[in-house]
Amino acid sequence: MLKNDLLLRALKGEKTERVPVWMMRQAGRYLPDYLKLKAKYDFFTRVQTPELATQITLQPIDQVGVDAAIIFSDILVIPQAMGMEVLMEEGKGPSLPKVIESQANVDALVTTGVEENLKYVMDALALTKKELNGRVPLIGFAGAPWTLLCYMVEGKGSKTWDKAKQFAYTQPVVAHSLLQKITDITIQYLKAQVKAGADVVQVFDSWAGSLSPADFKMYAQPYLLQIAAALKEDAPVILFPKGTWHALGDLSKSGASGLGIDWCIEPKMARAFTNNSITLQGNFDPAKLLAPIPEIKKAVKEMIDGFGTQRYIANLGHGITPNVPVDHAKAFVDAVKEYGVSE
Ligand code: CP3
Protein backbone atom coordinates (compact mmCIF):
# COMPACT_ATOMS: atom_id res chain seq x y z
CA MET A 1 0.00 0.00 0.00
CA LEU A 2 1.24 3.46 -0.89
CA LYS A 3 1.38 6.00 1.91
CA ASN A 4 1.61 8.87 -0.59
CA ASP A 5 -0.41 8.21 -3.74
CA LEU A 6 -0.93 11.85 -4.79
CA LEU A 7 0.74 11.26 -8.17
CA LEU A 8 -1.45 8.25 -8.97
CA ARG A 9 -4.62 10.06 -7.96
CA ALA A 10 -3.71 13.10 -10.04
CA LEU A 11 -3.16 10.81 -13.03
CA LYS A 12 -6.50 9.09 -12.52
CA GLY A 13 -8.23 12.47 -12.37
CA GLU A 14 -9.16 11.90 -8.72
CA LYS A 15 -9.16 14.64 -6.12
CA THR A 16 -5.81 15.46 -4.50
CA GLU A 17 -5.52 17.43 -1.26
CA ARG A 18 -2.38 19.08 -2.62
CA VAL A 19 -0.45 19.15 -5.88
CA PRO A 20 2.08 16.29 -6.25
CA VAL A 21 5.61 17.28 -7.28
CA TRP A 22 8.69 15.59 -8.74
CA MET A 23 11.49 16.75 -11.04
CA MET A 24 12.70 15.26 -14.30
CA ARG A 25 16.31 14.05 -13.88
CA GLN A 26 15.89 14.46 -10.13
CA ALA A 27 18.46 11.74 -9.44
CA GLY A 28 21.66 13.27 -10.69
CA ARG A 29 24.55 15.64 -10.70
CA TYR A 30 23.16 18.51 -8.61
CA LEU A 31 23.16 16.14 -5.58
CA PRO A 32 26.51 15.89 -3.70
CA ASP A 33 25.81 12.26 -2.72
CA TYR A 34 25.32 11.35 -6.39
CA LEU A 35 28.67 12.96 -7.23
CA LYS A 36 30.36 10.78 -4.58
CA LEU A 37 29.08 7.62 -6.31
CA LYS A 38 29.93 9.08 -9.72
CA ALA A 39 33.55 9.52 -8.58
CA LYS A 40 33.73 5.82 -7.72
CA TYR A 41 31.77 4.06 -10.46
CA ASP A 42 31.38 4.78 -14.18
CA PHE A 43 27.97 5.62 -15.63
CA PHE A 44 26.92 2.19 -16.86
CA THR A 45 28.17 0.52 -13.66
CA ARG A 46 25.84 2.86 -11.74
CA VAL A 47 23.00 2.04 -14.11
CA GLN A 48 23.60 -1.74 -14.25
CA THR A 49 24.19 -2.40 -10.55
CA PRO A 50 20.74 -2.61 -8.92
CA GLU A 51 22.07 -1.63 -5.46
CA LEU A 52 23.68 1.54 -6.86
CA ALA A 53 20.71 2.43 -9.07
CA THR A 54 18.41 2.00 -6.07
CA GLN A 55 20.59 4.11 -3.80
CA ILE A 56 20.69 6.90 -6.42
CA THR A 57 16.93 6.68 -7.06
CA LEU A 58 16.21 7.16 -3.36
CA GLN A 59 18.51 10.18 -2.86
CA PRO A 60 16.02 12.86 -4.01
CA ILE A 61 13.19 11.23 -2.02
CA ASP A 62 15.18 11.54 1.18
CA GLN A 63 16.97 14.80 0.41
CA VAL A 64 14.54 16.92 -1.61
CA GLY A 65 11.19 15.47 -0.55
CA VAL A 66 9.62 14.75 -3.95
CA ASP A 67 6.33 12.82 -4.22
CA ALA A 68 7.61 10.18 -6.67
CA ALA A 69 10.76 8.21 -7.39
CA ILE A 70 12.00 7.75 -10.98
CA ILE A 71 14.27 4.78 -11.51
CA PHE A 72 17.88 5.72 -12.18
CA SER A 73 18.69 4.53 -15.70
CA ASP A 74 18.95 6.08 -19.17
CA ILE A 75 16.94 6.12 -22.37
CA LEU A 76 19.99 4.80 -24.26
CA VAL A 77 19.81 1.35 -22.60
CA ILE A 78 17.39 0.42 -25.42
CA PRO A 79 19.82 1.04 -28.32
CA GLN A 80 22.40 -0.77 -26.17
CA ALA A 81 20.08 -3.78 -25.70
CA MET A 82 19.47 -3.73 -29.48
CA GLY A 83 23.19 -4.30 -29.99
CA MET A 84 24.57 -0.77 -30.44
CA GLU A 85 27.62 0.42 -28.58
CA VAL A 86 26.87 3.41 -26.31
CA LEU A 87 29.64 5.38 -24.59
CA MET A 88 29.10 8.00 -21.93
CA GLU A 89 31.96 10.46 -22.10
CA GLU A 90 32.58 12.92 -19.30
CA GLY A 91 31.68 16.46 -20.34
CA LYS A 92 30.60 15.28 -23.80
CA GLY A 93 27.42 13.30 -23.19
CA PRO A 94 26.52 10.07 -24.92
CA SER A 95 28.14 8.79 -28.10
CA LEU A 96 27.26 5.85 -30.37
CA PRO A 97 30.31 5.12 -32.57
CA LYS A 98 28.47 2.99 -35.19
CA VAL A 99 25.33 4.80 -36.34
CA ILE A 100 22.29 3.56 -38.28
CA GLU A 101 22.53 4.48 -41.98
CA SER A 102 20.65 1.82 -43.92
CA GLN A 103 17.94 -0.84 -43.91
CA ALA A 104 20.68 -3.45 -43.40
CA ASN A 105 21.72 -1.63 -40.19
CA VAL A 106 18.09 -1.61 -39.00
CA ASP A 107 17.67 -5.29 -39.84
CA ALA A 108 20.77 -6.14 -37.81
CA LEU A 109 19.29 -4.66 -34.61
CA VAL A 110 18.32 -7.23 -32.00
CA THR A 111 14.68 -7.17 -30.88
CA THR A 112 14.42 -10.36 -28.86
CA GLY A 113 15.33 -11.03 -25.27
CA VAL A 114 14.66 -7.48 -24.04
CA GLU A 115 13.63 -8.63 -20.59
CA GLU A 116 16.77 -10.73 -20.20
CA ASN A 117 19.08 -8.06 -21.66
CA LEU A 118 17.64 -5.39 -19.40
CA LYS A 119 17.15 -7.62 -16.37
CA TYR A 120 19.27 -5.20 -14.33
CA VAL A 121 16.58 -2.51 -14.79
CA MET A 122 13.85 -4.87 -13.58
CA ASP A 123 16.06 -5.89 -10.62
CA ALA A 124 16.67 -2.22 -9.78
CA LEU A 125 12.92 -1.51 -9.94
CA ALA A 126 12.11 -4.47 -7.67
CA LEU A 127 14.79 -3.50 -5.16
CA THR A 128 13.78 0.18 -5.20
CA LYS A 129 10.15 -0.76 -4.70
CA LYS A 130 11.14 -2.79 -1.66
CA GLU A 131 13.32 -0.02 -0.22
CA LEU A 132 10.66 2.61 -0.81
CA ASN A 133 8.33 0.57 1.35
CA GLY A 134 5.29 2.42 0.00
CA ARG A 135 6.59 5.92 0.71
CA VAL A 136 5.94 7.24 -2.82
CA PRO A 137 5.07 5.75 -6.24
CA LEU A 138 7.85 4.51 -8.53
CA ILE A 139 8.09 5.77 -12.12
CA GLY A 140 9.61 3.65 -14.90
CA PHE A 141 10.56 5.22 -18.23
CA ALA A 142 11.80 4.86 -21.77
CA GLY A 143 12.84 7.17 -24.57
CA ALA A 144 10.29 7.75 -27.32
CA PRO A 145 11.01 6.23 -30.74
CA TRP A 146 11.79 9.57 -32.45
CA THR A 147 14.19 10.67 -29.68
CA LEU A 148 15.98 7.30 -29.76
CA LEU A 149 16.19 7.46 -33.58
CA CYS A 150 17.89 10.85 -33.15
CA TYR A 151 20.73 9.33 -31.10
CA MET A 152 20.92 6.09 -33.13
CA VAL A 153 21.31 7.98 -36.43
CA GLU A 154 23.21 11.04 -35.26
CA GLY A 155 25.53 9.15 -32.89
CA LYS A 156 25.58 12.00 -30.37
CA GLY A 157 23.59 14.97 -29.12
CA SER A 158 22.81 17.75 -31.59
CA LYS A 159 21.24 21.22 -31.58
CA THR A 160 19.52 20.71 -34.92
CA TRP A 161 19.27 16.91 -35.35
CA ASP A 162 19.78 17.57 -39.05
CA LYS A 163 21.37 14.15 -39.77
CA ALA A 164 18.47 12.35 -38.08
CA LYS A 165 16.03 14.46 -40.09
CA GLN A 166 17.96 13.93 -43.32
CA PHE A 167 17.74 10.18 -42.70
CA ALA A 168 13.96 10.41 -42.17
CA TYR A 169 13.38 12.71 -45.15
CA THR A 170 15.59 10.80 -47.62
CA GLN A 171 14.90 7.21 -46.47
CA PRO A 172 11.40 7.38 -44.97
CA VAL A 173 10.70 3.66 -45.38
CA VAL A 174 13.88 2.75 -43.51
CA ALA A 175 13.14 5.39 -40.84
CA HIS A 176 9.66 4.01 -40.27
CA SER A 177 10.99 0.45 -40.01
CA LEU A 178 13.46 1.66 -37.37
CA LEU A 179 10.76 3.62 -35.49
CA GLN A 180 8.49 0.55 -35.52
CA LYS A 181 11.27 -1.71 -34.24
CA ILE A 182 11.99 0.70 -31.39
CA THR A 183 8.27 0.97 -30.64
CA ASP A 184 7.83 -2.82 -30.41
CA ILE A 185 10.80 -3.25 -28.09
CA THR A 186 9.75 -0.23 -25.97
CA ILE A 187 6.28 -1.67 -25.42
CA GLN A 188 7.79 -4.96 -24.19
CA TYR A 189 10.29 -3.06 -22.05
CA LEU A 190 7.69 -0.82 -20.38
CA LYS A 191 5.37 -3.76 -19.71
CA ALA A 192 8.29 -5.59 -18.06
CA GLN A 193 9.00 -2.48 -15.95
CA VAL A 194 5.40 -2.46 -14.71
CA LYS A 195 5.64 -6.18 -13.88
CA ALA A 196 8.84 -5.47 -11.95
CA GLY A 197 7.21 -2.76 -9.84
CA ALA A 198 6.81 0.53 -11.75
CA ASP A 199 3.53 2.22 -10.77
CA VAL A 200 3.62 4.71 -13.67
CA VAL A 201 5.64 4.92 -16.88
CA GLN A 202 6.86 8.06 -18.64
CA VAL A 203 7.93 8.26 -22.28
CA PHE A 204 10.57 10.96 -22.89
CA ASP A 205 10.30 12.46 -26.37
CA SER A 206 12.91 15.08 -25.57
CA TRP A 207 13.61 16.01 -29.22
CA ALA A 208 10.04 15.88 -30.56
CA GLY A 209 10.11 19.68 -30.77
CA SER A 210 12.82 19.50 -33.44
CA LEU A 211 10.13 18.38 -35.90
CA SER A 212 7.57 20.59 -37.65
CA PRO A 213 3.95 19.84 -36.71
CA ALA A 214 3.50 17.88 -39.98
CA ASP A 215 6.69 15.86 -39.47
CA PHE A 216 5.86 15.23 -35.81
CA LYS A 217 2.56 13.72 -37.01
CA MET A 218 4.53 11.59 -39.47
CA TYR A 219 7.56 10.42 -37.48
CA ALA A 220 6.72 10.73 -33.78
CA GLN A 221 3.03 10.85 -32.94
CA PRO A 222 1.93 7.47 -34.42
CA TYR A 223 4.53 5.67 -32.32
CA LEU A 224 3.64 7.56 -29.13
CA LEU A 225 0.00 6.61 -29.75
CA GLN A 226 0.94 2.93 -30.14
CA ILE A 227 2.87 2.96 -26.87
CA ALA A 228 0.09 4.76 -24.96
CA ALA A 229 -2.54 2.34 -26.30
CA ALA A 230 -0.44 -0.75 -25.53
CA LEU A 231 0.37 0.30 -21.96
CA LYS A 232 -2.84 1.89 -20.75
CA GLU A 233 -4.24 -1.34 -19.27
CA ASP A 234 -0.95 -1.98 -17.45
CA ALA A 235 -0.23 1.37 -15.77
CA PRO A 236 -0.84 5.12 -16.15
CA VAL A 237 1.30 6.54 -18.94
CA ILE A 238 2.78 10.06 -19.04
CA LEU A 239 3.87 11.28 -22.48
CA PHE A 240 6.50 14.03 -22.54
CA PRO A 241 6.85 15.20 -26.13
CA LYS A 242 8.88 18.33 -25.43
CA GLY A 243 8.10 21.36 -27.55
CA THR A 244 4.95 20.03 -29.22
CA TRP A 245 2.23 22.37 -27.97
CA HIS A 246 0.60 21.87 -31.40
CA ALA A 247 0.00 18.16 -30.66
CA LEU A 248 -1.48 18.50 -27.17
CA GLY A 249 -5.04 18.21 -28.49
CA ASP A 250 -4.38 14.96 -30.37
CA LEU A 251 -2.29 13.49 -27.56
CA SER A 252 -4.96 14.24 -24.97
CA LYS A 253 -7.03 11.56 -26.77
CA SER A 254 -4.20 8.99 -26.84
CA GLY A 255 -5.21 6.96 -23.81
CA ALA A 256 -2.26 8.39 -21.85
CA SER A 257 -3.09 9.56 -18.32
CA GLY A 258 -0.82 12.59 -18.36
CA LEU A 259 1.02 14.95 -20.69
CA GLY A 260 4.28 16.64 -19.78
CA ILE A 261 4.79 20.14 -21.15
CA ASP A 262 7.69 22.55 -21.34
CA TRP A 263 7.86 26.19 -20.24
CA CYS A 264 7.25 27.69 -23.68
CA ILE A 265 3.49 27.43 -23.29
CA GLU A 266 1.28 29.14 -20.73
CA PRO A 267 -0.54 26.76 -18.38
CA LYS A 268 -3.93 28.15 -19.39
CA MET A 269 -3.20 27.62 -23.08
CA ALA A 270 -2.19 24.01 -22.41
CA ARG A 271 -5.45 23.51 -20.53
CA ALA A 272 -7.38 25.02 -23.45
CA PHE A 273 -5.58 22.89 -26.08
CA THR A 274 -6.38 19.73 -24.09
CA ASN A 275 -9.94 20.84 -23.37
CA ASN A 276 -9.33 20.36 -19.63
CA SER A 277 -9.60 16.62 -20.28
CA ILE A 278 -6.23 15.26 -19.10
CA THR A 279 -3.72 15.60 -16.27
CA LEU A 280 -0.89 17.98 -17.16
CA GLN A 281 2.65 17.85 -15.79
CA GLY A 282 5.24 20.62 -15.82
CA ASN A 283 6.28 23.23 -16.73
CA PHE A 284 8.82 25.19 -14.66
CA ASP A 285 11.84 26.45 -16.60
CA PRO A 286 14.74 24.43 -15.09
CA ALA A 287 16.99 27.50 -15.40
CA LYS A 288 14.56 29.44 -13.20
CA LEU A 289 15.84 27.24 -10.35
CA LEU A 290 18.97 29.40 -10.57
CA ALA A 291 16.97 32.51 -9.62
CA PRO A 292 16.93 33.74 -5.98
CA ILE A 293 14.68 31.56 -3.77
CA PRO A 294 11.94 34.22 -3.34
CA GLU A 295 11.69 34.44 -7.16
CA ILE A 296 11.38 30.64 -7.39
CA LYS A 297 8.56 30.65 -4.83
CA LYS A 298 6.73 33.43 -6.67
CA ALA A 299 7.03 31.66 -10.03
CA VAL A 300 5.81 28.36 -8.54
CA LYS A 301 2.72 30.11 -7.19
CA GLU A 302 2.02 31.65 -10.59
CA MET A 303 2.48 28.27 -12.26
CA ILE A 304 -0.03 26.54 -9.96
CA ASP A 305 -2.46 29.47 -10.28
CA GLY A 306 -2.33 28.87 -14.03
CA PHE A 307 -2.81 25.09 -14.03
CA GLY A 308 -5.16 24.84 -11.04
CA THR A 309 -4.62 22.33 -8.24
CA GLN A 310 -6.47 19.34 -9.73
CA ARG A 311 -5.38 17.04 -12.57
CA TYR A 312 -1.99 18.61 -12.19
CA ILE A 313 1.53 17.39 -11.34
CA ALA A 314 4.12 20.07 -10.63
CA ASN A 315 7.42 19.40 -12.39
CA LEU A 316 10.06 21.11 -14.48
CA GLY A 317 9.62 21.58 -18.22
CA HIS A 318 12.80 19.52 -18.82
CA GLY A 319 15.53 17.91 -16.71
CA ILE A 320 17.18 19.67 -13.78
CA THR A 321 20.69 20.89 -14.65
CA PRO A 322 23.83 20.05 -12.62
CA ASN A 323 24.42 23.67 -11.52
CA VAL A 324 21.21 23.98 -9.47
CA PRO A 325 21.91 24.38 -5.72
CA VAL A 326 20.15 21.67 -3.69
CA ASP A 327 18.41 24.28 -1.52
CA HIS A 328 16.91 25.85 -4.66
CA ALA A 329 15.57 22.46 -5.81
CA LYS A 330 14.15 21.99 -2.33
CA ALA A 331 12.61 25.49 -2.38
CA PHE A 332 10.78 24.52 -5.60
CA VAL A 333 9.39 21.34 -4.01
CA ASP A 334 8.49 23.12 -0.76
CA ALA A 335 6.74 25.95 -2.62
CA VAL A 336 4.46 23.39 -4.29
CA LYS A 337 3.74 21.73 -0.95
CA GLU A 338 3.06 25.10 0.68
CA TYR A 339 0.64 26.26 -2.02
CA GLY A 340 -2.21 25.17 0.15
CA VAL A 341 -5.03 22.74 0.38
CA SER A 342 -7.03 22.46 -2.77
CA GLU A 343 -10.77 22.51 -3.14
O1 CP3 B 1 15.56 11.37 -12.73
C1 CP3 B 1 16.60 10.78 -13.07
O2 CP3 B 1 17.71 11.29 -12.92
C2 CP3 B 1 16.49 9.41 -13.64
C3 CP3 B 1 17.58 9.08 -14.51
C4 CP3 B 1 17.70 9.58 -15.93
C5 CP3 B 1 18.97 9.74 -16.56
N1 CP3 B 1 18.77 9.96 -17.88
C6 CP3 B 1 20.27 9.65 -15.89
C7 CP3 B 1 21.46 10.27 -16.52
C8 CP3 B 1 16.73 9.82 -16.89
C9 CP3 B 1 15.21 9.86 -16.74
C10 CP3 B 1 17.41 10.04 -18.13
C11 CP3 B 1 16.71 10.23 -19.40
C12 CP3 B 1 17.45 10.72 -20.56
N2 CP3 B 1 18.71 10.38 -20.96
C13 CP3 B 1 16.89 11.57 -21.53
C14 CP3 B 1 15.48 12.08 -21.53
C15 CP3 B 1 15.29 13.21 -20.58
C16 CP3 B 1 15.94 14.47 -21.03
O3 CP3 B 1 16.69 15.04 -20.24
O4 CP3 B 1 15.65 14.91 -22.15
C17 CP3 B 1 17.88 11.79 -22.51
C18 CP3 B 1 17.75 12.67 -23.74
C19 CP3 B 1 19.03 11.02 -22.13
C20 CP3 B 1 20.30 10.88 -22.88
C21 CP3 B 1 21.43 11.33 -22.07
N3 CP3 B 1 21.98 10.64 -21.00
C22 CP3 B 1 22.18 12.51 -22.23
C23 CP3 B 1 21.91 13.57 -23.27
C24 CP3 B 1 23.18 12.51 -21.26
C25 CP3 B 1 24.33 13.47 -21.12
C26 CP3 B 1 23.93 14.84 -20.84
C27 CP3 B 1 23.58 14.96 -19.40
O5 CP3 B 1 22.56 15.57 -19.08
O6 CP3 B 1 24.40 14.49 -18.61
C28 CP3 B 1 23.00 11.36 -20.47
C29 CP3 B 1 23.78 10.94 -19.29
C30 CP3 B 1 23.03 10.84 -18.01
N4 CP3 B 1 21.85 10.17 -17.83
C31 CP3 B 1 23.45 11.37 -16.77
C32 CP3 B 1 22.48 11.01 -15.82
C33 CP3 B 1 22.48 11.30 -14.36
C34 CP3 B 1 24.74 12.18 -16.55
C35 CP3 B 1 25.95 11.35 -16.64
C36 CP3 B 1 26.59 11.07 -15.31
O7 CP3 B 1 26.05 11.39 -14.25
O8 CP3 B 1 27.69 10.46 -15.32
Side-chain angles (χ1 to χ4, degrees):
M1 263 296 280
L2 282 168
K3 291 169 200 126
N4 173 347
D5 65 350
L6 288 167
L7 177 84
L8 299 182
R9 278 190 278 138
L11 286 168
K12 282 188 205 148
E14 293 173 8
K15 189 172 169 13
T16 53
E17 52 283 6
R18 72 164 171 81
V19 171
V21 53
W22 67 282
M23 293 179 297
M24 287 189 276
R25 306 289 293 267
Q26 66 189 15
R29 289 161 302 168
Y30 70 105
L31 286 174
D33 284 346
Y34 175 82
L35 295 177
K36 283 186 203 151
L37 290 174
K38 182 175 153 82
K40 274 208 205 147
Y41 307 98
D42 70 39
F43 183 71
F44 285 111
T45 303
R46 277 173 271 145
V47 167
Q48 292 167 4
T49 311
E51 290 73 18
L52 291 176
T54 296
Q55 207 181 323
I56 295 170
T57 302
L58 295 177
Q59 285 173 357
I61 316 302
D62 298 329
Q63 297 173 18
V64 192
V66 283
D67 293 310
I70 177 161
I71 194 69
F72 181 74
S73 185
D74 200 84
I75 62 168
L76 298 174
V77 300
I78 284 286
Q80 218 173 29
M82 294 174 98
M84 293 183 79
E85 187 186 358
V86 181
L87 308 169
M88 203 56 82
E89 291 168 280
E90 186 58 41
K92 275 202 188 160
S95 100
L96 294 80
K98 288 202 192 81
V99 295
I100 301 290
E101 291 172 329
S102 64
Q103 187 67 53
N105 294 153
V106 176
D107 294 342
L109 292 168
V110 183
T111 49
T112 51
V114 193
E115 260 188 86
E116 297 90 271
N117 282 342
L118 295 169
K119 187 173 177 296
Y120 62 84
V121 179
M122 315 315 158
D123 291 345
L125 284 161
L127 183 60
T128 303
K129 184 88 171 172
K130 186 166 154 269
E131 298 284 321
L132 276 172
N133 194 22
R135 273 186 289 166
V136 292
L138 177 57
I139 305 172
F141 72 90
W146 170 255
T147 289
L148 288 181
L149 177 148
C150 283
Y151 286 103
M152 290 163 87
V153 170
E154 201 96 23
K156 56 183 189 311
S158 165
K159 281 207 170 74
T160 57
W161 300 106
D162 54 302
K163 286 199 190 70
K165 290 179 171 184
Q166 181 181 32
F167 174 76
Y169 303 157
T170 57
Q171 302 188 72
V173 174
V174 183
H176 282 292
S177 79
L178 175 56
L179 290 163
Q180 191 58 54
K181 248 187 161 169
I182 301 170
T183 302
D184 295 343
I185 200 169
T186 299
I187 289 170
Q188 292 176 48
Y189 177 48
L190 290 174
K191 281 181 181 274
Q193 290 192 40
V194 175
K195 254 200 281 160
D199 299 295
V200 173
V201 293
Q202 173 155 322
V203 183
F204 285 90
D205 212 349
S206 305
W207 313 126
S210 64
L211 294 167
S212 70
D215 287 326
F216 175 80
K217 278 198 176 59
M218 183 80 82
Y219 297 103
Q221 181 162 305
Y223 303 100
L224 289 173
L225 295 183
Q226 283 187 45
I227 295 170
L231 263 296
K232 70 174 186 197
E233 305 298 330
D234 301 71
V237 178
I238 303 171
L239 299 177
F240 173 58
K242 185 176 179 292
T244 60
W245 57 271
H246 52 79
L248 290 175
D250 281 356
L251 294 173
S252 68
K253 300 177 200 122
S254 63
S257 298
L259 295 180
I261 55 176
D262 63 78
W263 59 95
C264 296
I265 174 168
E266 281 165 359
K268 284 196 163 67
M269 278 171 92
R271 285 290 187 208
F273 286 156
T274 53
N275 208 11
N276 267 320
S277 66
I278 190 164
T279 298
L280 295 177
Q281 172 176 283
N283 73 340
F284 204 79
D285 174 2
K288 195 91 184 193
L289 294 178
L290 299 167
I293 286 178
E295 293 294 318
I296 296 175
K297 298 226 159 185
K298 188 167 156 267
V300 167
K301 186 180 175 300
E302 284 166 9
M303 175 176 78
I304 305 178
D305 287 345
F307 282 106
T309 59
Q310 301 301 312
R311 290 203 120 171
Y312 173 53
I313 301 160
N315 203 319
L316 309 176
H318 201 182
I320 188 167
T321 51
N323 53 347
V324 171
V326 180
D327 60 333
H328 285 222
K330 198 160 182 313
F332 169 76
V333 170
D334 288 343
V336 176
K337 292 183 175 176
E338 287 156 11
Y339 184 88
V341 179
S342 10
E343 285 313 314

